[in-house]
Amino acid sequence: MTLYAAPSGSGGVCSSAAPCSLGGAQAAVRAKLAEIPDADVKVLLRDGTYTLSSTWKFGAADSGTPGHPVVWQAAPGARPVISGATTVTGWTQVGTTGVYSAPVPAGSQTRQVYVNGKTAKIAQDTSVALGWTASWTGSSSGYTISGDAKATAWFGALTPAQVAAVEFSYPGKNGPWAHSSCRVESYTAATGLLKMTQPCWENTTKRAPFAQATGGLPSMSTNTKPTDVRNAYSLLSEGEWFLDSAASKLFYKPAAGEQMSTLDVKLPRLESLLQGAGTLSNPLHDVTFTGLQFSYATWNRPSNAAGFADIQSNLTMTLPGGNQGWCTFSDPDGVCPFGALSQPKANVEFTASNNVSLTQNKFAALGGAGLSVMYGSKNTLIQGNEFADIASTGILLGCTYDPTPTDPTHHAGIKQNCTPDAAAVAGDTIGENEILTGTTISDNIVHEIGKEYTSACGITLLFSRDTTITNNNLYDLPYTGITGGVIQGHVDDASHPQNSTNINADNKITNNVIHNYLSVRHDGGAVYLEGHQAKYHYKADGTIDPVATLAHGMLVTGNVAYNSPQSNFSYYDDAGAEWIKWKGNVAFNGGESSQGGCSPTGHIWTEDNYFSHRTQYYPCAQPVDTHVSGTVSIPAAPGPDHIPAAMLSGGVRDQYNPYLAMLTPKAYYKSAPTAANKVLIAGQGFTAATQVWVNNQQVSAGNVQRLSSGFLTATVPAGTTADRISVTARVDNTSPAIAYSGFSLSSNRGFGDYNNDIQYATANGSTATYSFTGTGIDVYGEKYSDQGDIGISVDGGAQEIVSTTDSTRRANVVVFSKRNLAAGPHTIVVTKLSGQYATLDGFLPILAEPVQYRIDNTNSAITYSGFAPQGNRGFGDLNDDVHFASANGSTATYTFTGTGIKVFGEKYTDQGNLGVTIDGGTQQVVSTVPADGVRQANVVVFSKTGLSAGSHTIVVTKLSGSWATLDGFEFID
């Protein structure tokens, strides 16, 4: 049974012709399952944005059966976006300030705003830039700033409500791994007292010491000035926003080159987009989500009085007393168990959910963690997804409150903190059934997380069994790549290994590629482990059986870590860590040590690794029962002969992750050539079609070997230096692969040409010919008043005439694009036809066709004036409906983010001319009357490619004829 949903869907039919809303489709699924529990049910989500009014919730009633999961899937060619945001419109400039404002719903609260699909910065500046350089005196309540004239003047100009919105940021002040922030409560001008919110201030500056500590979790001095100041209107700079909640207004100052009228601004309303929550006795189960995008949510708790009192890896104190999670180790006692800290909220979350699969989805533009799974969930598959542009952690497994769920004294805390609704699970009996079990995280791309909370890890693993984290690519990370057992080991070491225990066992971290991590915070690693990683197994005589225990411990094997000069240890076994095998891993260019830590308990095996720096380095308390063998020493900057190719074959596998082919190939590391002129190239987005270039000349495909999605080797010309090697497909105009007739070289023009040079011609008929392999091509050149028309033919086809005339000089821009070519070799010829000059700045072969997304005419993102809907025409319209207009001047307006757009409509004798404008440019007139007089429905009537990446607005206007017909748009991402 296949059901259909659409952003504008309604009713309960859920057919292709009459799709439902998400809620309607969910009701139809439940009705079918109630009738036939093991029915095969699939819901196809049509293209577009599904704007949620509340969290999309799943419970036991939404479950399939083993072998018959309920599948929620993107329709073919669709990219459904599950959004928790309002699109902000109605922008007006505030005087001549360059700042724009727009009304937003009353009561709006958020810590994020998204502009053109990306996180924008909140209004902020540094305290130094604000001139707050005089002394501040700290106390248990905040600061006295009366000695700082600029600070007192700044706060004195604010209303009490504006003061209470200001937030101070303290990166690295609670340890180099942490990033705390607290809000100001009030300012008293008479005394110069700047009062900070509690308990944030206490939890940041007055943390209780705890007994038998094996790792410092320091307080910040009360005299510490904030590094950054945030969330005040006067702080607005280009590309930043400010929300005045009291006035229900959002302010934004466009960045250079941005036009407010073309921006897509989203204000998130929801903190949870998708929530799957069963109970231990009646779980959600057998559900699959695939091909969806989850975007535009926030997480507001750090804005309250508890702030973001960071301890480690985005775990924070939110309870008063400065001793949350210290259990009986502090005086007075804190919350038990030890390490029971508050964790970030995930915008997509699953609890008590079994056999749930999340495959080939995208988690982006999110304000909390991307995805969390906890509270007894079993056999979760997280495969082939992309996690990017996320404020906190990418993926979060487990809960800080359940290291030992068999302890009944912890059950209330587990229900309260490890589930979204404690009342809903009040009847659960908790024991080993609450252990997170059988999770697989594989073939995911995790990058650009921790955008706001920079102590975030790519993947955080708290307490679980039979977890496998394998074949993932993690990069561009502010802190650690993968972490396990955070905090809990801080009261254990070799001399007292059993102060804090947990249920961890049989977990594996294998074949991941982790690089360019610790780019912001310090004292972390590619893989960072703390605390117990195995349940003890004993011999008949009562002593620990090391073989059996290690067999159920943490196995870290086949991983590659590189490019982290600030790393203490690439593979980090820290406080209380025990029962770990580091086997067959690679680490290079990674700081002072490849493996080691501070005060682990021990039982650590380090075998057959390829390390560029020292191993088993323990500068604090020494561990017991450590073993090292087979370590191969490699250079910090290794070449292709230093590491076996098989050890570089990990990371994302092509068949599981569609986002791999969408990444722009990028080299993060290039070795110096060997004596045989071979180089090792490490990076992202390497596919079978990725090309290697040296000095703008392509290395022959036979001299390039792809080892994995993140590694290539290549044989390069003698004399090549690493800085001249690239994997970008851009071909400069100086490339010898381009054959010229009548063109000459011009360099150092200073107009922004690629590599500061171009080819130009003055004689009509001059040509540039280039052969390439791919599915498309972009031609780069210049637009200016002295340019004219160029003719372009591909594979000897009909010449297309392109104007390159523009009143404003625009150098190094795409003047022509071609897509949808058959994969393989092609030849393009560019010919000068008119004008004083023709200018060529190179080509960009397209190795993978950008994804195209069809928007039906009924999509709510299209704004109509004078058009009306019509359905059931029977002419082959998409979804059997169109919008039509009879009055000239009727318009359809659509704002999209992408590099190209197609307009679908109808060609027939009763149609006429359409006028099409993009971004307010010159109107292009398009005839929709076919030469043969035959009706053509659901066809492209206008197409535009080569737009700059970003947001654009297209307006289609009826100019003539009896009718104008619109059947939607298709944009190119």
Side-chain angles (χ1 to χ4, degrees):
M1 177 182 182
T2 300
L3 306 175
Y4 294 84
S8 58
S10 62
V13 176
C14 304
S15 66
S16 178
C20 294
S21 65
L22 287 180
Q26 192 169 14
V29 170
R30 288 178 175 177
K32 187 65 176 178
L33 295 174
E35 177 188 359
I36 307 174
D38 61 351
D40 288 311
V41 182
K42 177 185 292 185
V43 182
L44 294 181
L45 276 65
R46 291 266 172 79
D47 198 78
T49 299
Y50 295 74
T51 301
L52 303 176
S53 58
S54 60
T55 301
W56 190 18
K57 294 185 177 181
F58 282 72
D62 300 292
S63 302
T65 57
H68 303 277
V70 175
V71 178
W72 294 80
Q73 180 178 341
R79 182 188 180 183
V81 177
I82 311 303
S83 169
T86 298
T87 299
V88 182
T89 59
W91 293 94
T92 58
Q93 188 170 184
V94 181
T96 59
T97 62
V99 174
Y100 289 76
S101 71
V104 297
S108 293
Q109 296 288 338
T110 186
R111 291 183 65 85
Q112 283 79 33
V113 165
Y114 304 100
V115 177
N116 287 349
K118 295 288 186 180
T119 303
K121 287 185 176 181
I122 194 170
Q124 59 188 273
D125 210 338
T126 66
S127 59
V128 172
L130 291 169
W132 299 356
T133 56
S135 62
W136 291 24
T137 303
S139 68
S140 60
S141 60
Y143 301 100
T144 299
I145 63 171
S146 52
D148 191 329
K150 289 191 175 180
T152 56
W154 193 86
F155 278 101
L158 303 181
T159 67
Q162 291 168 340
V163 168
V166 173
E167 186 169 290
F168 288 167
S169 174
Y170 302 98
K173 304 306 181 183
N174 287 114
W177 58 85
H179 186 169
S180 296
S181 60
C182 294
R183 291 215 163 180
V184 177
E185 181 178 312
S186 63
Y187 172 63
T188 305
T191 60
L193 176 62
L194 198 64
K195 191 175 181 181
M196 302 298 293
T197 59
Q198 298 287 10
C200 188
W201 187 243
E202 178 180 41
N203 287 336
T204 303
T205 64
K206 194 180 179 182
R207 295 176 176 174
F210 54 93
Q212 301 196 46
T214 57
L217 298 168
S219 297
M220 179 185 78
S221 168
T222 57
N223 293 321
T224 303
K225 279 187 179 179
T227 302
D228 301 303
V229 184
R230 300 176 178 173
N231 203 36
Y233 178 84
S234 64
L235 300 174
L236 274 170
S237 296
E238 288 187 354
E240 295 180 352
W241 62 273
F242 171 73
L243 175 63
D244 187 338
S245 295
S248 298
K249 283 188 176 182
L250 180 66
F251 297 86
Y252 182 72
K253 189 169 187 177
E258 289 183 341
Q259 298 295 322
M260 199 70 234
S261 60
T262 67
L263 299 182
D264 174 29
V265 180
K266 287 190 164 47
L267 178 76
R269 297 171 290 99
L270 300 183
E271 295 184 300
S272 180
L273 298 175
L274 172 61
Q275 182 186 95
T279 66
L280 296 178
S281 59
N282 192 21
L284 167 69
H285 59 90
D286 296 288
V287 182
T288 294
F289 301 90
T290 186
L292 313 182
Q293 178 172 328
F294 300 96
S295 292
Y296 313 127
T298 189
W299 173 45
N300 287 321
R301 191 183 70 196
S303 295
N304 69 20
F308 197 79
D310 197 4
I311 303 296
Q312 185 176 327
S313 302
N314 277 195
L315 304 183
T316 60
M317 286 186 177
T318 58
L319 302 177
N323 62 350
Q324 180 182 345
W326 286 180
C327 198
T328 58
F329 294 93
S330 63
D331 185 13
D333 294 349
V335 176
C336 292
F338 187 84
L341 299 164
S342 299
Q343 59 199 77
K345 181 175 184 61
N347 298 131
V348 177
E349 54 190 344
F350 289 89
T351 57
S353 301
N354 300 342
N355 304 318
V356 171
S357 295
L358 297 125
T359 61
Q360 301 189 354
N361 304 290
K362 186 168 186 174
F363 299 77
L366 297 172
L371 169 67
S372 71
V373 185
M374 62 182 81
Y375 191 68
S377 295
K378 293 175 174 57
N379 303 323
T380 306
L381 175 64
I382 304 166
Q383 185 174 59
N385 307 282
E386 182 181 14
F387 295 82
D389 192 17
I390 295 173
S392 182
T393 296
I395 305 172
L396 175 58
L397 297 185
C399 179
T400 58
Y401 278 77
D402 65 355
T404 51
T406 55
D407 185 339
T409 65
H410 298 165
H411 292 175
I414 290 172
K415 292 180 179 180
Q416 187 65 43
N417 295 281
C418 304
T419 71
D421 184 353
V425 297
D428 278 353
T429 299
I430 292 179
E432 291 210 352
N433 60 336
E434 197 274 333
I435 297 173
L436 180 67
T437 305
T439 307
T440 298
I441 302 176
S442 76
D443 299 282
N444 300 284
I445 300 171
V446 182
H447 62 117
E448 296 182 74
I449 54 88
K451 296 293 289 290
E452 180 171 351
Y453 312 106
T454 61
S455 69
C457 303
I459 300 173
T460 296
L461 173 61
L462 293 170
F463 309 112
S464 69
R465 288 181 182 165
D466 296 301
T467 299
T468 301
I469 303 174
T470 187
N471 287 99
N472 302 285
N473 290 359
L474 302 99
Y475 61 98
D476 289 345
L477 308 172
Y479 183 51
T480 287
I482 302 172
T483 191
V486 185
I487 296 301
Q488 210 216 11
H490 273 63
V491 289
D492 292 333
D493 63 11
S495 62
H496 42 86
Q498 291 289 305
N499 282 336
S500 183
T501 60
N502 61 51
I503 51 79
N504 285 339
D506 298 296
N507 296 324
K508 301 177 180 65
I509 300 173
T510 68
N511 301 312
N512 302 285
V513 177
I514 307 165
H515 64 91
N516 293 78
Y517 55 97
L518 286 170
S519 61
V520 180
R521 303 268 57 83
H522 306 311
D523 198 1
V527 179
Y528 177 98
L529 302 174
E530 285 189 16
H532 293 252
Q533 297 298 333
K535 179 181 178 181
Y536 290 0
H537 292 256
Y538 296 92
K539 297 179 181 178
D541 62 4
T543 61
I544 294 175
D545 184 334
V547 175
T549 304
L550 181 64
H552 295 282
M554 172 67 80
L555 174 63
V556 184
T557 183
N559 303 283
V560 181
Y562 69 92
N563 277 18
S564 182
Q566 299 296 331
S567 172
N568 301 62
F569 310 90
S570 299
Y571 299 102
Y572 202 151
D573 35 59
D574 203 29
E578 62 172 0
W579 301 108
I580 301 166
K581 178 180 279 191
W582 308 101
K583 182 176 177 63
N585 301 288
V586 176
F588 61 91
N589 193 25
E592 59 188 51
S593 300
S594 291
Q595 180 264 323
C598 189
S599 301
T601 294
H603 314 295
I604 297 166
W605 281 255
T606 308
E607 301 175 352
D608 305 325
N609 299 287
Y610 282 68
F611 287 163
S612 63
H613 293 82
R614 60 191 172 188
T615 185
Q616 294 232 320
Y617 176 59
Y618 299 109
C620 307
Q622 292 297 303
V624 298
D625 189 27
T626 62
H627 311 263
V628 61
S629 64
T631 302
V632 177
S633 181
I634 61 175
D641 299 329
H642 294 116
I643 306 168
M647 299 188 75
L648 301 177
S649 62
V652 171
R653 295 166 290 187
D654 298 3
Q655 66 268 36
Y656 294 114
N657 195 310
Y659 298 102
L660 178 64
M662 300 179 195
L663 296 175
T664 300
K666 182 178 180 181
Y668 287 81
Y669 170 84
K670 296 167 287 186
S671 74
T674 65
N677 296 318
K678 291 188 67 176
V679 295
L680 173 66
I681 304 171
Q684 287 301 323
F686 298 165
T687 68
T690 299
Q691 303 166 358
V692 176
W693 295 79
V694 175
N695 294 329
N696 295 314
Q697 184 170 357
Q698 185 182 351
V699 176
S700 68
N703 285 329
V704 178
Q705 181 183 6
R706 178 178 183 259
L707 306 180
S708 64
S709 59
F711 293 95
L712 303 171
T713 62
T715 301
V716 297
T720 297
T721 54
D723 63 305
R724 300 304 297 166
I725 300 170
S726 71
V727 293
T728 58
R730 177 76 180 266
V731 180
D732 196 15
N733 54 279
T734 57
S735 170
I738 306 172
Y740 292 104
S741 174
F743 277 79
S744 301
L745 177 66
S746 177
S747 302
N748 304 312
R749 301 195 312 153
F751 293 148
D753 307 316
Y754 186 62
N755 289 330
N756 205 17
D757 56 39
I758 53 140
Q759 303 287 141
Y760 71 96
T762 57
N764 293 341
S766 299
T767 60
T769 304
Y770 173 58
S771 295
F772 64 98
T773 299
T775 59
I777 188 80
D778 289 339
V779 180
Y780 283 77
E782 178 177 281
K783 293 186 176 182
Y784 195 39
S785 56
D786 59 3
Q787 308 287 306
D789 289 344
I790 57 175
I792 298 178
S793 65
V794 177
D795 298 333
Q799 189 178 73
E800 298 182 56
I801 298 175
V802 178
S803 172
T804 59
T805 303
D806 198 311
S807 59
T808 301
R809 186 190 300 274
R810 297 165 60 198
N812 190 14
V813 294
V814 175
V815 296
F816 174 83
S817 289
K818 187 72 172 179
R819 297 293 186 271
N820 297 320
L821 298 174
H826 302 279
T827 298
I828 185 170
V829 179
V830 181
T831 305
K832 181 183 184 300
L833 299 179
S834 66
Q836 187 174 354
Y837 297 103
T839 304
L840 184 75
D841 205 6
F843 300 91
L844 180 66
I846 305 302
L847 305 179
E849 180 65 21
V851 180
Q852 302 184 14
Y853 304 105
R854 180 72 184 267
I855 304 294
D856 195 16
N857 60 281
T858 56
N859 193 290
S860 59
I862 304 172
T863 302
Y864 291 104
S865 174
F867 278 79
Q870 183 180 12
N872 304 311
R873 301 197 312 155
F875 294 149
D877 308 316
L878 179 66
N879 294 324
D880 203 18
D881 55 28
V882 295
H883 269 67
F884 72 96
S886 58
N888 292 342
S890 299
T891 60
T893 304
Y894 174 58
T895 298
F896 64 98
T897 299
T899 60
I901 188 75
K902 295 178 181 178
V903 180
F904 284 78
E906 179 175 280
K907 292 184 177 182
Y908 195 41
T909 54
D910 58 2
Q911 308 287 305
N913 289 339
L914 300 176
V916 181
T917 61
I918 296 178
D919 298 335
T922 303
Q923 188 179 74
Q924 300 181 58
V925 179
V926 178
S927 173
T928 58
V929 179
D932 58 4
V934 176
R935 186 191 301 272
Q936 303 171 45
N938 190 16
V939 293
V940 176
V941 296
F942 173 84
S943 179
K944 181 70 173 179
T945 59
L947 300 173
S948 59
S951 179
H952 303 279
T953 298
I954 186 170
V955 180
V956 179
T957 305
K958 181 182 184 300
L959 299 179
S960 65
S962 298
W963 311 101
T965 305
L966 185 75
D967 204 8
F969 299 92
E970 182 176 274
F971 67 89
I972 302 171
D973 197 4

